[in-house]
Amino acid sequence: MRADVDLVVPVKTLQRAKTRLVGVTDDRPALALAFALDTITAALPAVRRVLAVTEDPAVAAELRAMGVDSAPGPEGLNEALRFGAAMLRQRDRRCVVGALQADLPALRTAELRAALAAAESRAFCPDRQGTGTTLLLSAPGGELEPEFGVGSAEAHSAGAQALIGPWPSLRNDVDTAEDLELATGLGLGPRTREALSPVC
């Protein structure tokens, strides 16, 4: 476990999440929730603390049952991440604050641990296409400076170490049916498997 790393995980309101997965399941909100819960469950043993930023009471209730803190935050991904990072920074001014995407349903704890161990200062992990970002880490005591969105990997590469290693589950975020098929090949978390069981 990286005892100096605290992660913020943004979770959209479930009704607005994963719109490109329409047709994959009859209950897209349940699948989005499963993604987030599997991601956070895998991340918890690798870091000191996880804070979810979400406006969705169903997400907050599930996380509360897991013992995970959550807080409502502003709209917009980068705004929510800055809000969550500021909350974590208030608890420890010298920690490494990280942002982890909530749609990594195949995430393996060991792979996240390996990526965190490889980070020497401010760092990011690009997605499998190399254009997006699945994980962003501040320098110890530094600002997170999230620039998620189209081309975020290039934006984050300015002054940050690229974490590219043998951690496919960390790089496989799921936005499309193809992404989900690849994640299934890596091994989905139990919540996601359950959410997909009626159509598998």
Side-chain angles (χ1 to χ4, degrees):
M1 181 183 76
R2 277 286 297 267
D4 61 335
V5 177
D6 295 338
L7 289 180
V8 55
V9 179
V11 184
K12 278 186 180 179
T13 299
L14 296 177
Q15 290 296 333
R16 296 191 292 114
K18 297 300 158 194
T19 54
R20 285 189 280 173
L21 289 177
V22 170
V24 170
T25 174
D26 293 333
D27 194 345
R28 180 176 44 80
L31 185 60
L33 176 61
F35 284 2
L37 296 179
D38 280 337
T39 299
I40 291 172
T41 297
L44 283 171
V47 298
R48 178 173 59 178
R49 180 179 295 116
V50 172
L51 170 69
V53 176
T54 183
E55 295 282 348
D56 197 305
V59 176
E62 290 279 358
L63 293 174
R64 190 162 50 248
M66 292 168 56
V68 176
D69 292 334
S70 67
E75 290 193 17
L77 178 56
N78 291 314
E79 292 78 4
L81 289 171
R82 284 191 285 268
F83 170 82
M87 288 187 66
L88 292 172
R89 184 67 74 217
Q90 287 176 354
R91 301 180 183 185
D92 183 350
R93 295 288 176 188
R94 296 301 307 163
C95 73
V96 173
V97 173
L100 182 69
Q101 295 284 46
D103 56 356
L104 299 164
L107 182 63
R108 296 290 177 265
T109 302
E111 293 185 14
L112 177 58
R113 280 197 182 112
L116 294 173
E120 298 172 356
S121 185
R122 187 166 187 264
F124 73 101
C125 182
D127 62 11
R128 66 181 178 84
Q129 295 90 348
T131 56
T133 303
T134 61
L135 173 70
L136 176 66
L137 299 171
S138 76
E143 295 297 323
L144 184 60
E145 300 179 32
E147 295 191 49
F148 285 84
V150 177
S152 66
E154 182 178 0
H156 290 140
S157 68
Q161 171 192 1
L163 300 172
I164 301 174
W167 35 76
S169 73
L170 177 58
R171 299 187 65 184
N172 201 114
D173 54 339
V174 174
D175 290 313
T176 66
E178 179 187 1
D179 296 333
L180 182 57
E181 183 178 353
L182 290 169
T184 300
L186 294 172
L188 297 170
R191 300 271 196 150
T192 302
R193 289 199 306 269
E194 181 179 354
L196 288 171
S197 59
V199 294
C200 285

Coordinates of all heavy atoms in Angstrom, one line a residue, residues 32-121:
A32 N -23.2 1.0 -14.7 CA -22.3 2.1 -14.3 C -21.9 2.1 -12.8 O -20.8 2.3 -12.4 CB -22.9 3.5 -14.6
L33 N -22.9 1.8 -12.0 CA -22.7 1.6 -10.6 C -21.7 0.5 -10.3 O -20.8 0.6 -9.5 CB -24.0 1.4 -9.8 CG -23.9 1.1 -8.3 CD1 -23.2 2.3 -7.6 CD2 -25.2 0.8 -7.7
A34 N -21.9 -0.6 -11.0 CA -21.0 -1.8 -10.8 C -19.6 -1.5 -11.2 O -18.6 -1.8 -10.5 CB -21.5 -3.0 -11.6
F35 N -19.4 -0.7 -12.3 CA -18.1 -0.3 -12.7 C -17.4 0.5 -11.6 O -16.2 0.2 -11.2 CB -18.2 0.6 -13.9 CG -18.4 0.0 -15.2 CD1 -18.6 -1.4 -15.4 CD2 -18.5 0.8 -16.4 CE1 -18.9 -2.0 -16.6 CE2 -18.7 0.2 -17.6 CZ -19.0 -1.2 -17.7
A36 N -18.1 1.4 -11.0 CA -17.5 2.3 -10.0 C -17.2 1.5 -8.7 O -16.1 1.7 -8.1 CB -18.5 3.4 -9.6
L37 N -18.1 0.6 -8.3 CA -17.8 -0.2 -7.1 C -16.7 -1.2 -7.3 O -15.9 -1.3 -6.4 CB -19.1 -0.9 -6.7 CG -20.3 0.0 -6.3 CD1 -21.5 -0.8 -5.9 CD2 -19.9 1.0 -5.2
D38 N -16.6 -1.8 -8.4 CA -15.5 -2.7 -8.7 C -14.2 -1.9 -8.8 O -13.1 -2.4 -8.3 CB -15.7 -3.5 -10.0 CG -16.6 -4.7 -9.8 OD1 -16.8 -5.1 -8.7 OD2 -17.2 -5.1 -10.8
T39 N -14.2 -0.8 -9.4 CA -13.0 0.1 -9.5 C -12.5 0.5 -8.1 O -11.3 0.3 -7.7 CB -13.2 1.3 -10.3 OG1 -13.6 1.0 -11.6 CG2 -12.0 2.2 -10.4
I40 N -13.4 1.0 -7.3 CA -13.0 1.4 -5.9 C -12.6 0.3 -5.0 O -11.6 0.4 -4.3 CB -14.2 2.3 -5.3 CG1 -14.3 3.6 -6.1 CG2 -13.9 2.5 -3.8 CD1 -15.6 4.4 -5.7
T41 N -13.3 -0.9 -5.2 CA -12.9 -2.0 -4.4 C -11.5 -2.5 -4.7 O -10.7 -2.8 -3.8 CB -13.9 -3.2 -4.6 OG1 -15.2 -2.8 -4.2 CG2 -13.5 -4.4 -3.9
A42 N -11.1 -2.4 -5.9 CA -9.8 -2.8 -6.3 C -8.7 -1.8 -5.9 O -7.6 -2.1 -5.6 CB -9.7 -3.0 -7.8
A43 N -9.1 -0.5 -5.8 CA -8.2 0.5 -5.5 C -7.9 0.6 -4.0 O -6.8 1.0 -3.6 CB -8.7 1.9 -6.0
L44 N -8.9 0.3 -3.2 CA -8.8 0.5 -1.7 C -7.5 -0.1 -1.1 O -6.9 0.5 -0.3 CB -10.0 -0.1 -1.0 CG -11.3 0.8 -1.1 CD1 -12.5 0.1 -0.6 CD2 -11.1 2.1 -0.3
P45 N -7.1 -1.4 -1.4 CA -6.0 -1.9 -0.8 C -4.6 -1.3 -1.2 O -3.6 -1.6 -0.6 CB -6.0 -3.4 -1.2 CG -7.4 -3.7 -1.7 CD -7.8 -2.4 -2.3
A46 N -4.7 -0.5 -2.3 CA -3.4 0.0 -2.8 C -3.1 1.4 -2.3 O -1.9 1.8 -2.5 CB -3.5 0.0 -4.4
V47 N -4.0 2.0 -1.7 CA -3.8 3.4 -1.3 C -4.3 3.6 0.2 O -4.9 2.8 0.8 CB -4.5 4.4 -2.2 CG1 -4.0 4.3 -3.6 CG2 -6.0 4.2 -2.2
R48 N -4.0 4.8 0.7 CA -4.4 5.1 2.1 C -5.9 5.4 2.2 O -6.6 5.0 3.1 CB -3.6 6.3 2.6 CG -3.9 6.7 4.0 CD -3.0 7.8 4.5 NE -3.0 9.0 3.7 CZ -2.2 10.0 4.0 NH1 -1.4 10.1 5.0 NH2 -2.2 11.1 3.2
R49 N -6.4 6.2 1.2 CA -7.8 6.7 1.3 C -8.3 6.9 -0.1 O -7.6 7.2 -1.0 CB -7.8 8.0 2.1 CG -9.1 8.6 2.3 CD -9.0 9.9 3.0 NE -8.6 9.7 4.4 CZ -7.4 10.2 4.9 NH1 -6.6 10.9 4.1 NH2 -7.1 9.9 6.1
V50 N -9.7 6.6 -0.2 CA -10.4 6.9 -1.4 C -11.6 7.8 -1.1 O -12.3 7.5 -0.1 CB -10.9 5.6 -2.1 CG1 -11.8 6.0 -3.3 CG2 -9.8 4.8 -2.6
L51 N -11.7 8.9 -1.8 CA -12.9 9.8 -1.7 C -13.6 9.8 -3.0 O -13.0 10.1 -4.0 CB -12.4 11.2 -1.3 CG -13.5 12.3 -1.4 CD1 -14.5 12.1 -0.3 CD2 -12.8 13.7 -1.3
A52 N -14.8 9.5 -3.0 CA -15.6 9.6 -4.3 C -16.3 10.9 -4.3 O -16.8 11.4 -3.2 CB -16.7 8.5 -4.3
V53 N -16.4 11.6 -5.4 CA -17.2 12.8 -5.6 C -18.3 12.4 -6.5 O -18.2 12.1 -7.6 CB -16.3 13.9 -6.2 CG1 -17.2 15.1 -6.5 CG2 -15.1 14.2 -5.3
T54 N -19.5 12.5 -5.9 CA -20.7 12.1 -6.6 C -22.0 12.9 -6.1 O -22.0 13.2 -4.9 CB -21.0 10.6 -6.5 OG1 -22.1 10.2 -7.3 CG2 -21.2 10.2 -5.1
E55 N -22.9 13.2 -7.0 CA -24.1 13.8 -6.6 C -25.2 12.7 -6.4 O -26.3 13.0 -6.0 CB -24.6 14.8 -7.7 CG -23.7 16.0 -7.8 CD -23.9 17.0 -6.8 OE1 -24.9 16.9 -6.0 OE2 -23.1 17.9 -6.6
D56 N -24.9 11.5 -6.8 CA -25.9 10.4 -6.8 C -26.1 9.8 -5.4 O -25.2 9.1 -4.9 CB -25.5 9.4 -7.8 CG -26.7 8.5 -8.2 OD1 -27.3 7.9 -7.3 OD2 -27.0 8.4 -9.4
P57 N -27.3 9.9 -4.8 CA -27.5 9.3 -3.5 C -27.3 7.8 -3.5 O -26.9 7.2 -2.5 CB -28.9 9.7 -3.1 CG -29.6 10.1 -4.4 CD -28.5 10.6 -5.3
A58 N -27.7 7.1 -4.6 CA -27.5 5.6 -4.7 C -26.1 5.2 -4.6 O -25.7 4.3 -3.9 CB -28.2 5.1 -5.9
V59 N -25.2 6.0 -5.3 CA -23.8 5.7 -5.2 C -23.2 6.0 -3.8 O -22.5 5.2 -3.3 CB -23.0 6.6 -6.3 CG1 -21.5 6.4 -6.1 CG2 -23.5 6.3 -7.7
A60 N -23.6 7.1 -3.3 CA -23.2 7.5 -1.9 C -23.6 6.4 -0.9 O -22.8 6.1 0.0 CB -23.7 8.8 -1.5
A61 N -24.8 5.9 -1.0 CA -25.3 4.8 -0.1 C -24.4 3.6 -0.2 O -24.1 2.9 0.8 CB -26.7 4.6 -0.3
E62 N -24.2 3.1 -1.4 CA -23.4 1.9 -1.6 C -22.0 2.1 -1.1 O -21.4 1.2 -0.5 CB -23.3 1.6 -3.1 CG -24.6 1.1 -3.7 CD -24.9 -0.4 -3.4 OE1 -24.0 -1.0 -2.8 OE2 -25.9 -0.9 -3.9
L63 N -21.4 3.3 -1.3 CA -20.0 3.5 -0.8 C -20.0 3.6 0.7 O -19.1 3.1 1.3 CB -19.5 4.8 -1.4 CG -19.2 4.8 -3.0 CD1 -18.8 6.1 -3.5 CD2 -18.2 3.7 -3.3
R64 N -21.0 4.2 1.3 CA -21.1 4.3 2.7 C -21.1 2.9 3.3 O -20.5 2.6 4.3 CB -22.3 5.1 3.1 CG -22.4 5.4 4.6 CD -23.4 6.5 4.9 NE -24.7 6.3 4.2 CZ -25.2 7.0 3.2 NH1 -24.5 8.0 2.7 NH2 -26.4 6.7 2.7
A65 N -21.8 2.0 2.7 CA -21.9 0.6 3.2 C -20.5 -0.1 3.1 O -20.2 -1.0 3.8 CB -22.9 -0.2 2.4
M66 N -19.7 0.4 2.1 CA -18.3 -0.2 2.0 C -17.3 0.6 2.9 O -16.1 0.2 2.9 CB -17.8 0.0 0.5 CG -18.6 -0.8 -0.5 SD -18.2 -0.3 -2.2 CE -16.4 -0.4 -2.2
G67 N -17.8 1.6 3.6 CA -16.9 2.4 4.4 C -16.0 3.4 3.7 O -15.0 3.8 4.1
V68 N -16.5 3.8 2.5 CA -15.8 4.7 1.6 C -16.5 6.1 1.7 O -17.7 6.2 1.6 CB -15.8 4.2 0.2 CG1 -15.1 5.3 -0.7 CG2 -15.0 2.9 0.1
D69 N -15.7 7.1 1.9 CA -16.3 8.5 2.0 C -16.7 9.0 0.6 O -16.0 8.7 -0.4 CB -15.2 9.5 2.6 CG -14.9 9.2 4.0 OD1 -15.8 8.6 4.7 OD2 -13.8 9.5 4.5
S70 N -17.7 9.8 0.6 CA -18.1 10.5 -0.6 C -18.6 11.9 -0.3 O -19.0 12.1 0.9 CB -19.2 9.7 -1.4 OG -20.4 9.7 -0.7
A71 N -18.6 12.7 -1.3 CA -19.1 14.1 -1.1 C -19.6 14.6 -2.4 O -19.1 14.3 -3.5 CB -17.9 15.0 -0.7
P72 N -20.7 15.3 -2.3 CA -21.2 16.0 -3.6 C -20.3 17.1 -4.0 O -19.7 17.8 -3.1 CB -22.6 16.5 -3.2 CG -22.5 16.7 -1.7 CD -21.6 15.7 -1.2
G73 N -20.1 17.3 -5.3 CA -19.2 18.3 -5.7 C -19.8 19.0 -6.9 O -20.9 18.8 -7.4
P74 N -19.0 19.9 -7.5 CA -19.5 20.7 -8.7 C -19.6 19.8 -9.9 O -19.0 18.8 -10.0 CB -18.4 21.7 -8.8 CG -17.1 21.1 -8.3 CD -17.6 20.2 -7.1
E75 N -20.4 20.3 -10.9 CA -20.5 19.7 -12.2 C -19.2 19.8 -13.0 O -18.5 20.8 -12.8 CB -21.7 20.2 -12.9 CG -23.0 19.8 -12.3 CD -24.2 20.1 -13.3 OE1 -23.9 20.3 -14.5 OE2 -25.3 20.2 -12.8
G76 N -19.0 18.9 -13.9 CA -17.8 19.0 -14.7 C -16.7 18.1 -14.0 O -16.4 18.2 -12.8
L77 N -16.1 17.3 -14.9 CA -15.1 16.3 -14.3 C -13.9 17.0 -13.7 O -13.5 16.6 -12.5 CB -14.6 15.4 -15.5 CG -13.6 14.4 -15.1 CD1 -14.0 13.5 -14.0 CD2 -13.2 13.5 -16.4
N78 N -13.3 17.9 -14.3 CA -12.1 18.6 -13.8 C -12.4 19.4 -12.5 O -11.7 19.4 -11.6 CB -11.4 19.4 -14.8 CG -10.8 18.6 -15.9 OD1 -10.1 17.6 -15.7 ND2 -11.0 19.0 -17.2
E79 N -13.6 20.0 -12.5 CA -14.0 20.8 -11.4 C -14.2 19.8 -10.2 O -13.8 20.1 -9.0 CB -15.3 21.6 -11.7 CG -15.1 22.7 -12.7 CD -15.1 22.2 -14.1 OE1 -15.2 21.0 -14.4 OE2 -14.8 23.1 -15.0
A80 N -14.9 18.7 -10.4 CA -15.1 17.7 -9.4 C -13.8 17.2 -8.8 O -13.6 17.0 -7.6 CB -16.0 16.6 -9.9
L81 N -12.8 16.9 -9.7 CA -11.5 16.4 -9.3 C -10.8 17.5 -8.4 O -10.2 17.1 -7.4 CB -10.7 16.0 -10.5 CG -11.2 14.7 -11.2 CD1 -10.5 14.5 -12.5 CD2 -11.1 13.5 -10.2
R82 N -10.8 18.7 -8.9 CA -10.2 19.8 -8.1 C -10.8 19.9 -6.7 O -10.1 20.1 -5.7 CB -10.2 21.1 -8.8 CG -9.2 21.2 -10.0 CD -9.1 22.6 -10.5 NE -10.2 22.9 -11.3 CZ -10.2 22.7 -12.7 NH1 -9.2 22.2 -13.3 NH2 -11.3 23.1 -13.3
F83 N -12.1 19.8 -6.7 CA -12.9 19.8 -5.4 C -12.4 18.7 -4.5 O -12.1 18.9 -3.3 CB -14.4 19.8 -5.7 CG -15.2 19.6 -4.5 CD1 -15.6 20.7 -3.7 CD2 -15.7 18.3 -4.1 CE1 -16.4 20.5 -2.6 CE2 -16.5 18.2 -3.0 CZ -16.9 19.3 -2.2
G84 N -12.4 17.5 -5.0 CA -12.1 16.3 -4.2 C -10.6 16.4 -3.7 O -10.3 16.0 -2.6
A85 N -9.7 16.8 -4.6 CA -8.3 16.9 -4.3 C -8.1 17.9 -3.2 O -7.3 17.7 -2.3 CB -7.5 17.3 -5.5
A86 N -8.8 19.0 -3.2 CA -8.7 20.0 -2.1 C -9.2 19.5 -0.8 O -8.6 19.7 0.2 CB -9.5 21.3 -2.5
M87 N -10.2 18.6 -0.8 CA -10.7 18.0 0.4 C -9.6 17.1 1.0 O -9.3 17.1 2.2 CB -12.0 17.2 0.2 CG -13.2 18.1 0.0 SD -14.7 17.1 -0.1 CE -14.8 16.5 1.6
L88 N -9.0 16.3 0.1 CA -8.0 15.4 0.6 C -6.7 16.1 1.0 O -6.1 15.7 2.0 CB -7.6 14.4 -0.6 CG -8.7 13.4 -1.0 CD1 -8.3 12.7 -2.2 CD2 -9.0 12.4 0.2
R89 N -6.4 17.2 0.4 CA -5.2 18.0 0.7 C -5.4 18.6 2.1 O -4.4 18.8 2.8 CB -5.0 19.0 -0.3 CG -3.7 19.9 -0.1 CD -2.4 19.1 -0.3 NE -2.1 18.8 -1.6 CZ -1.6 17.7 -2.1 NH1 -1.3 16.7 -1.2 NH2 -1.3 17.4 -3.3
Q90 N -6.6 18.9 2.5 CA -6.8 19.5 3.8 C -6.4 18.5 4.9 O -6.0 19.0 6.0 CB -8.3 19.9 4.0 CG -8.7 21.1 3.2 CD -10.2 21.4 3.3 OE1 -11.0 20.7 3.9 NE2 -10.6 22.5 2.7
R91 N -6.5 17.2 4.6 CA -6.2 16.2 5.6 C -4.7 16.0 5.8 O -4.2 15.6 6.8 CB -6.9 14.9 5.3 CG -8.4 15.0 5.2 CD -9.0 13.7 4.8 NE -10.5 13.7 4.7 CZ -11.3 12.7 4.4 NH1 -10.7 11.5 4.3 NH2 -12.6 12.8 4.3
D92 N -4.0 16.2 4.6 CA -2.6 15.9 4.6 C -1.9 16.8 3.5 O -2.1 16.5 2.4 CB -2.3 14.4 4.4 CG -0.8 14.1 4.5 OD1 0.0 15.0 4.5 OD2 -0.5 12.9 4.5
R93 N -1.2 17.8 3.9 CA -0.7 18.8 3.0 C 0.5 18.1 2.1 O 0.8 18.7 1.1 CB -0.1 20.0 3.7 CG -1.2 20.8 4.4 CD -2.0 21.6 3.4 NE -3.1 22.3 4.0 CZ -4.1 22.9 3.3 NH1 -4.1 22.8 2.0 NH2 -5.1 23.5 3.9
R94 N 1.1 17.1 2.6 CA 2.2 16.5 1.9 C 1.9 15.2 1.1 O 2.8 14.7 0.5 CB 3.3 16.2 3.0 CG 3.9 17.4 3.7 CD 4.5 18.4 2.7 NE 5.5 17.8 1.8 CZ 5.9 18.3 0.6 NH1 5.4 19.5 0.2 NH2 6.8 17.7 -0.1
C95 N 0.7 14.8 1.1 CA 0.4 13.5 0.5 C 0.4 13.7 -1.0 O 0.5 14.8 -1.6 CB -1.0 13.0 0.9 SG -2.4 13.9 0.2
V96 N 0.4 12.5 -1.7 CA 0.2 12.5 -3.1 C -1.3 12.3 -3.4 O -1.9 11.4 -2.8 CB 0.9 11.3 -3.8 CG1 0.6 11.1 -5.2 CG2 2.5 11.4 -3.6
V97 N -1.9 13.3 -4.1 CA -3.3 13.2 -4.4 C -3.4 12.6 -5.9 O -2.7 13.1 -6.8 CB -4.0 14.6 -4.4 CG1 -5.4 14.5 -4.9 CG2 -4.0 15.1 -2.9
G98 N -4.3 11.7 -6.0 CA -4.5 11.0 -7.3 C -5.9 11.1 -7.8 O -6.9 11.2 -6.9
A99 N -6.1 11.1 -9.1 CA -7.5 11.0 -9.6 C -7.5 9.7 -10.4 O -6.7 9.4 -11.3 CB -7.7 12.1 -10.6
L100 N -8.5 8.9 -10.1 CA -8.7 7.6 -10.7 C -10.1 7.6 -11.4 O -11.1 7.9 -10.7 CB -8.6 6.4 -9.7 CG -8.7 5.0 -10.3 CD1 -7.5 4.7 -11.1 CD2 -8.9 4.0 -9.2
Q101 N -10.1 7.2 -12.7 CA -11.4 7.1 -13.4 C -12.2 6.0 -12.8 O -11.7 4.9 -12.3 CB -11.2 6.9 -14.8 CG -10.5 8.0 -15.5 CD -11.5 9.2 -15.8 OE1 -12.2 9.6 -14.9 NE2 -11.4 9.7 -17.0
A102 N -13.6 6.1 -12.8 CA -14.5 5.1 -12.1 C -14.9 4.0 -13.0 O -15.8 3.3 -12.6 CB -15.7 5.9 -11.6
D103 N -14.4 3.9 -14.2 CA -14.9 3.0 -15.2 C -13.8 2.0 -15.6 O -13.5 1.7 -16.8 CB -15.4 3.6 -16.4 CG -14.4 4.6 -17.1 OD1 -13.3 4.7 -16.6 OD2 -14.8 5.1 -18.2
L104 N -13.2 1.4 -14.5 CA -12.1 0.4 -14.7 C -12.6 -0.9 -14.1 O -12.0 -1.4 -13.1 CB -10.8 0.9 -14.1 CG -10.3 2.2 -14.7 CD1 -9.2 2.7 -13.7 CD2 -9.7 1.9 -16.0
P105 N -13.6 -1.6 -14.7 CA -14.2 -2.7 -14.0 C -13.4 -4.0 -13.9 O -13.7 -4.9 -13.2 CB -15.5 -3.0 -14.8 CG -15.1 -2.5 -16.2 CD -14.3 -1.3 -15.9
A106 N -12.2 -4.0 -14.7 CA -11.3 -5.1 -14.6 C -10.1 -4.8 -13.8 O -9.1 -5.6 -13.7 CB -10.9 -5.6 -16.0
L107 N -10.1 -3.7 -13.1 CA -8.9 -3.2 -12.4 C -8.4 -4.3 -11.4 O -9.1 -4.8 -10.6 CB -9.1 -1.9 -11.7 CG -8.0 -1.3 -10.9 CD1 -6.8 -0.9 -11.9 CD2 -8.4 -0.1 -10.1
R108 N -7.1 -4.5 -11.4 CA -6.4 -5.4 -10.5 C -5.6 -4.6 -9.5 O -4.8 -3.7 -9.9 CB -5.5 -6.4 -11.2 CG -6.2 -7.3 -12.2 CD -7.1 -8.3 -11.4 NE -7.8 -9.2 -12.2 CZ -9.1 -9.0 -12.6 NH1 -9.7 -7.9 -12.1 NH2 -9.8 -9.8 -13.4
T109 N -5.8 -4.9 -8.2 CA -5.1 -4.1 -7.2 C -3.6 -4.2 -7.4 O -2.9 -3.1 -7.3 CB -5.4 -4.7 -5.8 OG1 -6.8 -4.7 -5.6 CG2 -4.7 -3.9 -4.7
A110 N -3.0 -5.3 -7.8 CA -1.6 -5.5 -8.0 C -1.1 -4.5 -9.1 O 0.0 -4.0 -9.0 CB -1.2 -6.9 -8.3
E111 N -1.9 -4.4 -10.1 CA -1.4 -3.5 -11.2 C -1.4 -2.0 -10.8 O -0.6 -1.3 -11.2 CB -2.3 -3.7 -12.5 CG -2.1 -5.1 -13.0 CD -2.9 -5.4 -14.3 OE1 -3.3 -4.4 -14.9 OE2 -3.0 -6.5 -14.8
L112 N -2.5 -1.6 -10.1 CA -2.5 -0.3 -9.6 C -1.3 0.0 -8.6 O -0.6 1.0 -8.7 CB -3.8 0.0 -8.8 CG -3.9 1.4 -8.2 CD1 -3.7 2.5 -9.2 CD2 -5.3 1.5 -7.5
R113 N -1.0 -1.0 -7.7 CA 0.1 -0.9 -6.8 C 1.4 -0.7 -7.6 O 2.3 0.1 -7.3 CB 0.2 -2.1 -6.0 CG -0.7 -2.2 -4.8 CD -0.2 -3.2 -3.8 NE -1.0 -3.3 -2.6 CZ -1.8 -4.4 -2.4 NH1 -1.8 -5.4 -3.2 NH2 -2.5 -4.5 -1.3
A114 N 1.6 -1.5 -8.7 CA 2.8 -1.4 -9.5 C 2.9 0.0 -10.1 O 4.0 0.6 -10.2 CB 2.8 -2.5 -10.5
A115 N 1.8 0.5 -10.7 CA 1.9 1.8 -11.3 C 2.2 2.9 -10.3 O 3.0 3.8 -10.5 CB 0.6 2.1 -12.0
L116 N 1.6 2.8 -9.1 CA 1.9 3.8 -8.0 C 3.4 3.7 -7.6 O 4.0 4.8 -7.4 CB 1.0 3.6 -6.8 CG -0.5 3.8 -7.1 CD1 -1.3 3.3 -5.8 CD2 -0.8 5.2 -7.4
A117 N 3.9 2.5 -7.5 CA 5.3 2.4 -7.1 C 6.2 2.9 -8.2 O 7.3 3.4 -7.8 CB 5.6 0.9 -6.9
A118 N 5.8 2.9 -9.4 CA 6.7 3.4 -10.5 C 6.7 5.0 -10.6 O 7.5 5.5 -11.2 CB 6.2 2.8 -11.8
A119 N 5.7 5.6 -10.0 CA 5.6 7.1 -10.1 C 6.7 7.7 -9.2 O 6.8 7.5 -8.0 CB 4.2 7.5 -9.6
E120 N 7.5 8.5 -9.9 CA 8.6 9.2 -9.2 C 8.2 10.6 -8.7 O 8.8 11.2 -7.8 CB 9.8 9.3 -10.1 CG 10.3 7.9 -10.5 CD 11.4 7.9 -11.5 OE1 11.7 9.0 -12.0 OE2 11.9 6.8 -11.8
S121 N 7.2 11.2 -9.4 CA 6.8 12.6 -9.0 C 5.4 12.7 -9.6 O 4.6 11.8 -9.6 CB 7.7 13.6 -9.5 OG 7.3 14.9 -9.0

